[in-house]
Amino acid sequence: MKNSNGLEVLSVQFFFVFLRGNALRHGSSWRSSRGIFAFLLLGVCVSAVATWLYITSLDSDITETLARQGELVSPQPRVYSIQCSEDYENYKRYPGCTPQKCGRAVTDGVVNREEAHVLRRLAERGLALAGSEGGASILDLHSGALSMGKQFVNIYRYFGDQIRDVFTAEDFKLYRDVRGRIQTIIAETFGLDPRLMYLTKPTFFSRINSTAAKTQHDEYWHPHIDKVTYGSFDYTSLLYLSDYGSDFTGGRFVFMDQNGNRTVEPRTGTN
Ligand SMILES: *[C@@H]1O[C@H](CO)[C@@H](O)[C@H](O)[C@H]1NC(C)=O
Ligand SMILES: *[C@@H]1O[C@H](CO)[C@@H](O)[C@H](O)[C@H]1NC(C)=O
């Protein structure tokens, strides 16, 4: 169950909450981040009942393909509903904000290919500063966390002023813009007021390849539930920046629900 060729998979993951959330458990904060392959997948993880399994090479486990690489899901997202998890009852509820309607959504309508490539180059430049010794590296522009060997460093502290030469103002502008588009799509899809949603942490780029895992942070393939891992998350989104079938093979994204597993074959942007 891993990315079966040596090629890379890049994506960026955004998490939204309604109120700025609880403190993050840093030790485990990267554990669930690894599942990132390629393509723009806007995965909205509203229900903790469902877990995600990020990749699989065992076709027999797969019951349904939700989105194929070759098809374009745009402009309307492809959505299916699920029952909201009881996990939400363990957290404070914010009327009008806490999910009332739960489901999964996939869309290709967030970025075009050119924008995806700009984001990808941004991530590659950042990750080129260090990177994990194992197969999964992350870069969090908000906290500054970057994988380095078997640990993480804060790029803003570690590299200081050098960082100004790595990222441009236009990079950050696009990044913020895309983040806003994702927020809008989540709000439209789930009937929410986008002004009541706040980005929570972590938010990061991931790069995954088939180098053997050296620490548990590299083990991106385990099924997981963001609501359980992070607590503060109500909606999770993943924007893939590489293509299933050409940039990588093997690793697909799977929504695991009680009534079946639904796979997404990642794709980079609209066209
Ligand atoms: C995975 O990526 C890292 C960083 O770019 C690289 O050093 C390593 O050789 C890659 N592994 C494979 C199997 O391609
Ligand atoms: C979903 O996939 C997992 C992991 O491969 C498997 O254990 C489980 O039985 C599958 N569920 C269904 C309903 O097919």
Side-chain angles (χ1 to χ4, degrees):
M1 291 174 103
K2 62 169 148 155
N3 185 12
S4 66
N5 71 13
L7 301 177
E8 285 178 9
V9 180
L10 259 170
S11 70
V12 58
Q13 188 160 10
F14 293 96
F15 304 102
F16 289 94
V17 285
F18 290 114
L19 286 173
R20 219 164 262 285
N22 320 327
L24 194 77
R25 286 165 294 152
H26 249 273
S28 64
S29 57
W30 310 117
R31 204 180 309 149
S32 80
S33 64
R34 18 338 241 289
I36 322 273
F37 297 87
F39 160 85
L40 168 184
L41 173 146
L42 181 72
V44 181
C45 172
V46 180
S47 166
V49 163
T51 47
W52 306 351
L53 174 61
Y54 279 114
I55 49 268
T56 172
S57 38
L58 300 171
D59 272 32
S60 56
D61 287 343
I62 304 300
T63 52
E64 188 187 329
T65 300
L66 184 61
R68 294 193 183 282
Q69 206 280 334
E71 66 178 323
L72 195 62
V73 182
S74 179
Q76 288 309 310
R78 182 166 298 162
V79 187
Y80 69 92
S81 298
I82 53 170
Q83 209 184 344
C84 291
S85 168
E86 287 171 6
D87 288 1
Y88 287 102
E89 281 151 31
N90 300 330
Y91 297 89
K92 186 168 175 197
R93 301 186 77 89
Y94 298 101
C97 305
T98 303
Q100 301 289 315
K101 185 180 158 189
C102 297
R104 321 285 187 198
V106 178
T107 177
D108 291 315
V110 178
V111 290
N112 62 35
R113 283 190 96 80
E114 181 47 37
E115 291 167 329
H117 288 148
V118 171
L119 288 176
R120 182 175 170 138
R121 285 193 294 269
L122 188 178
E124 283 169 346
R125 283 200 305 278
L127 289 164
L129 296 169
S132 164
E133 240 175 85
S137 298
I138 66 97
L139 167 65
D140 181 340
L141 293 178
H142 301 261
S143 69
L146 171 69
S147 309
M148 183 181 271
K150 292 193 171 75
Q151 325 178 66
F152 300 95
V153 292
N154 180 331
I155 50 167
Y156 301 119
R157 233 179 280 144
Y158 197 88
F159 298 100
D161 283 350
Q162 256 183 282
I163 286 299
R164 281 169 220 241
D165 306 327
V166 180
F167 307 117
T168 66
E170 289 85 66
D171 287 339
F172 283 119
K173 186 172 178 299
L174 177 65
Y175 181 83
R176 275 195 300 268
D177 197 61
V178 168
R179 183 229 123 133
R181 289 182 215 171
I182 292 172
Q183 185 159 346
T184 304
I185 292 171
I186 293 173
E188 283 168 3
T189 305
F190 294 94
L192 306 161
D193 181 350
R195 291 167 305 179
L196 295 176
M197 297 171 73
Y198 295 89
L199 193 64
T200 187
K201 54 182 189 173
T203 290
F204 49 84
F205 289 96
S206 313
R207 182 186 64 202
I208 294 170
N209 71 13
S210 59
T211 294
K214 298 287 187 322
T215 69
Q216 67 168 15
H217 301 301
D218 299 320
E219 295 183 18
Y220 55 83
W221 53 84
H222 300 294
H224 66 271
I225 302 168
D226 285 336
K227 189 72 192 165
V228 171
T229 307
Y230 299 101
S232 64
F233 291 9
D234 285 326
Y235 300 87
T236 301
S237 73
L238 273 178
L239 178 69
Y240 279 86
L241 303 173
S242 45
D243 283 306
Y244 174 70
S246 47
D247 290 321
F248 67 97
T249 56
R252 284 163 294 176
F253 178 96
V254 185
F255 286 117
M256 298 174 73
D257 288 304
Q258 267 158 4
N259 64 355
N261 297 325
R262 293 174 183 81
T263 340
V264 175
E265 299 175 352
R267 175 188 168 94
T268 314
T270 31
N271 38 48

